[in-house]
Amino acid sequence: MPATVVAKGASTSEESTQARPGRTWCRHHYKTSSSYSPRFAFHAMNTNPHFVPTPASIPPSDVVYRLGYDPQLGPANHHPLNPVAFLLRAAQIYPDKLAIAHPNVPRPVHYSYATWAQRIQNLAYALIRAGIKPGDRVAVIAPNSPMIAEAHHGILAARAIITPVNTRLKPLEVAYILEHSGASLLLIDHEYTQLVEGTKVPMIVSHDTGGVDDPYEEFLSLGRQFSSEKGWEGLDAERDEDAGAVLCYTSGTTGRPKGVLTTYRGSYLGAVANAYEARITKDSTYLWVLPMFHAAGWTFPWANVFAFATQITLRTVNYSHIWQHLLHSNVTHYCGAPTVQIGIVNEPGAKQPPQPVTAIIAGAAPTPHVIGELEKIGINPVHVYGLTCTYGPFTRNYDQPFWKSLSLQDRSKLIARQGHAFATADEVRVVHQPQEGKDPNVLVDVPRDGKTIGEIVTRGNIVMKEYFRDPEATRVAFQGGYFRSGDLAVMYPDGTVAIMDRSKDIIISGGENASSLAIEQELATHPHVLEVSVVARQHHKWGERPMAFVTLHPQHQSRWAGKHPEFATDLKRHARERLPGFACPEWVKVVPELPKTSTGKILKTDLRKIAAKL
Amino acid sequence: MPATVVAKGASTSEESTQARPGRTWCRHHYKTSSSYSPRFAFHAMNTNPHFVPTPASIPPSDVVYRLGYDPQLGPANHHPLNPVAFLLRAAQIYPDKLAIAHPNVPRPVHYSYATWAQRIQNLAYALIRAGIKPGDRVAVIAPNSPMIAEAHHGILAARAIITPVNTRLKPLEVAYILEHSGASLLLIDHEYTQLVEGTKVPMIVSHDTGGVDDPYEEFLSLGRQFSSEKGWEGLDAERDEDAGAVLCYTSGTTGRPKGVLTTYRGSYLGAVANAYEARITKDSTYLWVLPMFHAAGWTFPWANVFAFATQITLRTVNYSHIWQHLLHSNVTHYCGAPTVQIGIVNEPGAKQPPQPVTAIIAGAAPTPHVIGELEKIGINPVHVYGLTCTYGPFTRNYDQPFWKSLSLQDRSKLIARQGHAFATADEVRVVHQPQEGKDPNVLVDVPRDGKTIGEIVTRGNIVMKEYFRDPEATRVAFQGGYFRSGDLAVMYPDGTVAIMDRSKDIIISGGENASSLAIEQELATHPHVLEVSVVARQHHKWGERPMAFVTLHPQHQSRWAGKHPEFATDLKRHARERLPGFACPEWVKVVPELPKTSTGKILKTDLRKIAAKL
């Protein structure tokens, strides 16, 4: 593990260990709520024996709702939309309610909204103290845990851009993202420091303990000191609602990761929509199964706070822990890809939770099997669809009353459709793909026949701002005045969208998007490979896994004659050194030649057919 | 009743009676939903024997979601917020769901979302055909009925400004509003045409029948013809989300009505917040008890559509009808002032409805009696507070878990507080009132002691744009960079706001705001009155009623000596000729002199004390 590099301008950790006197806990009027709702399994009271007091969780100052809106600089009737405002309302209205619990770790922590808002305020001040300026990128590499949840609010409160990094990437990919994003600071969980060995980006390491000796906690404490108790009023709120808020790198449709930049406005509207659509309220408990680094957790880090809900974070997708909380922690909502849903229903001990539970499913369409198994144990599946470029969900499958009379099989077919535009998502169309000789800016809708395949395009406030530092990719993505999803779909007569081919290239493996192009690029670096093409193949556990079709370089054909399985092993080893696990090919097939069009393009559709028959 | 004046550019009604051939009802895929949810008492099917087909309710064209956003003119990732978009989503996703029912009239009507969206589209085209340009004001004088509900969407779809007029006003006040707003067109219910006798504003009269012979229906049909079936795509959506959407006249705090202009952005955000806060969903049925002309029905005309809920309109507050629907029409939500709530709980036959019901209460704080009576029959009271200038609700009383253990009396005291800033409402403060010699632009918060009285001020997106054509009043209203509510309140340590005096002047009578200043101005026109001061006095039925304290002109004192009751009768008659019923004084007391400050200001606080003791 590299030594903790303290951000520029930050003092040494020795200074921060000097405990500063806490302010008097003067909010006596909240005492009456110490008997807070017995429906919650966790309580955020300081009297809880499992509660570990930390420098950062010293009692919050009186929560002041004001987020530094300067009356002299903006009109009183037009506030920039800013999801950080949700946190201040929650801390004001339900200060003692449990905001977040992190239970399945050696040193569990849980914070009330008042304490959590204070921690987030401390984080914002700590970032500013460390030299972070508005618009700077702050990268986060962490599993689901308080730090990454706090980062979604605190980095925005400092007017910087959060850049969550997929923890499953390889060091080279992470290095590319840190370099391309120009991150000024890195918040990193101790388990992932090997991903950034040798980086020059200053970093703060969290040991995920909440303890006084944790460098992340020291960082927060320094922020608190730096604040001089100016509180939220001392922080300038972002005045431009179209400013960048989140920069998520996707391995979407091309080889190099692209940075999807989203805005404060979109994050606010997406979060409100997700809270509304999922019916999350102050009585809800949201379980973090979806990694928060995936498209900023589909805006749920803010949606849950808008709703005053409780969040529970799990570092890993551990089905035993998930069931512990479904059965005993009053969990009402979670998000996850179908693969995860399969894991949940297949876990021994799965049974109907005592409270209603809604499972928000995306990443791929749920199968009748998954829907049936979820419903059997009283979990309500809600199918949504979206991309990193659309803040997560931008369509939802809306159930119709007549579905009640259908068989599970028939109903599942309808649930599997991606549905209609989401609340606040504005417009979704399916248009003919650009054809040679036609103007690519003229979009023509496919007929609503459930048969004609076209591309899903969308407009509206929950469409990304741009591909960061990539004007050409941005131009192409918005050609025709719509965001081109790259996903191929049909439209049914009732206006529902149904994806036919997720896109020509993407392989959805365990909920991760693997770009076949990126995999091909790495496999092609094997000295014996002549040509390679990678397609998705069904996998019983991961939904899909990559399958590589390879032709050997003539020079090396004789060497591997009769030893194709050995070559496959060698190529897989080669891949593992270069690619995240989800992108490594599960199968390698050596073929004499690849099927191609007359113009030389590889016919992936043919390869998919071959893969499907194997 | 004046003859129907057809708007400029409109053809004669003879033309419109020629039935135009309806388009083929080609949406076969919806047929499966003819067995729509049995939970709804009303069905919008054409097969319903009570359904009266009208020219405007001919089958809708294929609903196209697009609202005329021109891709060439705006970025794909930034749509102007526009509540009309809610309607298009509803019509797209739940075309056959009951959108609105108008049952308690000789010729009941009810429309599915597909049909209703078509009617609203027709209205937009009809307005454009009649010469309405973006930004023009279209006045509406109507009780709760389909026309005024449609106007909230259709006028905005034509990019005009809806100007709802309180039906309880006097002709002179209505004339003032029509003149001041510069209304280009008037949609008026037949029952209220006497309010606008002699007006030069072109008008469309609705007989509220939905029948082919109804001038309003003819108007819609002309719109349909004019559309040439271009549908929603033929209508330009408003591109400036800060454009005026609604112009509501309030008799707020001064004598002359002021025009409160609100925006598309605020209406959108307010509606989403109200749907979320009231938990209105597609399974909800909203009963229109609150007059829709009150602050645009607190944004509920859009909130209900955002939620895909069903709306039921009642022309009058008829408690028998309200109970008919609470018990038999699956009503889940309604809004109303405490006076109306008293009427509801006191109605013979009141009993627990079969479904959960939420009563959204504003206009005055609900008393323990009202709260207790509502809860006794299973109705959940939600107390919100707001002004016309804040799109209706901008604070909400958020219940706390520990309240469960309190007595009704103690709990009611907490429920009676106006609470915290509403979802999307941003910031609420209570500040010291401007003092002589101090800068009125410097706002100083009162201590959070539950004792110190200050003025409620607010900022944010659900604060009005301006007082229409009144820059000076606008300037004063926004002095200090906040909207000055004029309402006096304290702030408790937990940040809840509680109104102490609704304001020095306003009298809330039956949910109506009566300006004491306006009443005084009219009473002062009585030739025998020397001085007059009007204050609120508690009333068992109306909550408050105006009480007038009068000194007689010396010339006329002898005439009324010993005959003060007779003078009171005469002054009340004088008032009835000049004021709406709710503003007429219920009591008149002749006094030798009015209590005053050393600087000559009348001490209304003293008069209120006297009134309270009577």
Side-chain angles (χ1 to χ4, degrees), chain A residues 367-400:
Chain A
T367 62
H369 174 73
V370 172
I371 293 165
E373 292 298 306
L374 286 170
E375 290 181 346
K376 209 181 280 173
I377 51 173
I379 296 180
N380 171 39
V382 172
H383 178 206
V384 299
Y385 156 75
L387 307 158
T388 301
C389 303
T390 61
Y391 299 73
F394 82 95
T395 73
R396 176 183 172 172
N397 181 279
Y398 290 92
D399 62 298
Q400 298 288 342

Side-chain angles (χ1 to χ4, degrees), chain B residues 86 110 117 133 144 153 177 218 232 235 262 264 279 324 361 364 430 439 470 473 482 489 511 565 582 607:
Chain B
F86 304 153
H110 18 76
K133 297 273 178 292
N144 290 342
H153 303 267
I177 289 170
E218 291 170 1
W232 287 99
L235 294 167
T262 59
Y264 282 72
R279 312 277 185 255
Q324 170 198 337
I361 308 177
V430 178
D439 181 353
D470 198 340
Y482 279 75
F582 66 82
L607 293 177

Side-chain angles (χ1 to χ4, degrees), chain B residues 221-376:
Chain B
S221 291
L222 288 173
R224 178 71 180 256
Q225 281 186 318
F226 179 68
S227 79
S228 304
E229 301 301 319
K230 288 190 297 290
W232 287 99
E233 281 195 84
L235 294 167
D236 281 330
E238 179 55 54
R239 291 209 179 83
D240 177 9
E241 66 184 23
D242 298 318
V246 181
L247 179 59
C248 271
Y249 279 78
T250 168
S251 47
T253 49
T254 63
R256 271 169 83 190
K258 281 206 286 267
V260 174
L261 186 64
T262 59
T263 69
Y264 282 72
R265 176 181 168 103
S267 303
Y268 182 105
L269 292 170
V272 170
N274 275 303
Y276 179 78
E277 291 279 8
R279 312 277 185 255
I280 303 177
T281 73
K282 72 177 169 58
D283 298 320
S284 302
T285 299
Y286 180 92
L287 183 65
W288 274 103
V289 175
L290 171 78
M292 230 176 287
F293 58 70
H294 265 308
W298 306 353
T299 76
F300 280 84
W302 306 298
N304 289 314
V305 176
F306 171 78
F308 313 141
T310 293
Q311 307 183 62
I312 299 175
T313 44
L314 299 178
R315 288 179 65 91
T316 58
V317 178
N318 176 309
Y319 295 109
S320 157
H321 291 161
I322 290 172
W323 274 104
Q324 170 198 337
H325 298 296
L326 283 172
L327 295 177
H328 306 299
S329 304
N330 197 38
V331 167
T332 53
H333 295 80
Y334 68 92
C335 297
T339 316
V340 170
Q341 309 291 346
I342 291 167
I344 288 173
V345 295
N346 285 348
E347 177 72 7
K351 61 177 178 177
Q352 180 142 4
Q355 69 288 342
V357 177
T358 294
I360 298 126
I361 308 177
T367 61
H369 175 74
V370 172
I371 293 165
E373 292 297 307
L374 285 170
E375 289 181 347
K376 208 180 283 174

